[in-house]
């Protein structure tokens, strides 16, 4: 590689994280909620949108290798909260304690939480996950395959994003952007109290 090529690679490598971080914290068009097919790194306003049972779409299969190296998948017949995050995303870090607390508070009611670590280096993701100790596993989705399975519901690059899957495996609620404690707790409680 020529000295000029190495310089170009070095500059691009230095700028990429800044561009991604800037995009992670921004909004699209001023509406606060990006379109479901948006492919830029975007963030919403964190509001939880609950879908009526007749409007809910089936969730795709969610499975993969965890940050710890094991295998995990979304349990059937249980309410599951899925959170898409990355260690380099400031809003993801800001909402981490909220997710941890709501997960602990709702665990006794049979609610599962599952993280999807998206477009992240495993070492950085594992270090952050170890520091936060959320009490639930995260799938390391470097390639974004799990997120793309939800592309009709969650923009492929909208992080953080949180989905609530009902007992029938349907997408019952979503939040694009850093979710607030009470809003998430209320939505999880509502969905988990539904009968099958």
């Amino acid at each position: 590689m020529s000295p000029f090529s190495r310089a170009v690679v070095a500059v691009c490598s230095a700028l990429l994280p800044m561009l991604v971080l800037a995009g992670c914290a921004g909004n699209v068009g001023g509406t606060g909620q990006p379109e479901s097919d948006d492919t830029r790194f975007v963030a919403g306003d964190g509001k939880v949108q609950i879908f009526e049972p007749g409007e809910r779409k089936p969730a795709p299969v969610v499975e993969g290798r965890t940050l710890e190296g094991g295998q995990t998948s979304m349990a059937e017949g249980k309410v599951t909260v899925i959170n898409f995050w990355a260690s380099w995303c400031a809003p993801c870090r800001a909402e981490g304690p909220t997710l941890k607390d709501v997960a602990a508070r709702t665990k006794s009611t049979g609610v599962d939480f599952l993280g999807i670590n998206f477009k992240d280096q495993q070492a950085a993701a594992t270090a952050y996950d170890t520091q936060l100790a959320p009490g639930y596993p995260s799938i390391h989705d470097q390639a974004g395959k799990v997120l793309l399975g939800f592309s009709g519901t969650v923009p492929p690059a909208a992080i953080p994003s949180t989905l609530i899957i009902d007992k029938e495996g349907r997408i019952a609620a979503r939040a694009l952007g850093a979710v607030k404690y009470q809003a998430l707790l209320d939505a999880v409680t509502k969905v988990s109290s539904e009968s099958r």
Side-chain angles (χ1 to χ4, degrees):
M1 185 181 289
S2 72
F4 176 76
S5 297
R6 280 195 294 272
V8 169
V9 169
V11 169
C12 290
S13 296
L15 289 176
L16 183 60
M18 290 184 281
L19 292 172
V20 170
L21 280 174
C24 180
N27 282 331
V28 174
T31 63
Q33 293 288 39
E35 295 299 317
S36 64
D37 60 351
D38 198 322
T39 57
R40 294 169 291 170
F41 278 91
V42 294
D45 56 14
K47 290 182 181 172
V48 179
Q49 177 184 7
I50 297 179
F51 304 111
E52 292 300 319
E55 300 172 355
R56 296 177 185 174
K57 297 176 183 177
V61 173
V62 177
E63 60 188 7
R65 184 170 296 282
T66 66
L67 290 171
E68 294 78 24
Q71 285 289 127
T72 193
S73 61
M74 185 173 67
E76 293 183 17
K78 298 182 80 173
V79 171
T80 304
V81 177
I82 299 175
N83 177 255
F84 297 91
W85 65 278
S87 64
W88 45 259
C89 174
C92 302
R93 286 177 169 267
E95 74 172 1
T98 293
L99 293 157
K100 176 180 178 175
D101 290 351
V102 174
R105 187 166 174 178
T106 59
K107 187 173 186 175
S108 64
T109 65
V111 175
D112 281 350
F113 274 63
L114 179 61
I116 308 295
N117 176 251
F118 171 68
K119 297 284 186 183
D120 206 351
Q121 296 299 319
Q122 184 157 355
T126 300
Y128 172 72
D129 194 62
T130 300
Q131 177 189 2
L132 179 63
Y136 56 87
S138 279
I139 292 173
H140 184 232
D141 190 32
Q142 172 69 28
K145 290 180 183 177
V146 175
L147 183 59
L148 285 175
F150 288 96
S151 62
T153 304
V154 178
I159 57 171
S161 294
T162 303
L163 298 174
I164 302 173
I165 312 302
D166 68 17
K167 295 170 188 170
E168 295 182 30
R170 302 171 304 178
I171 301 166
R174 74 171 179 183
L176 304 179
V179 72
K180 307 295 185 283
Y181 183 91
Q182 196 60 50
L184 179 59
L185 180 60
D186 290 348
V188 170
T189 301
K190 180 178 185 345
V191 174
S192 63
S193 67
E194 296 172 348
S195 59
R196 286 190 81 172

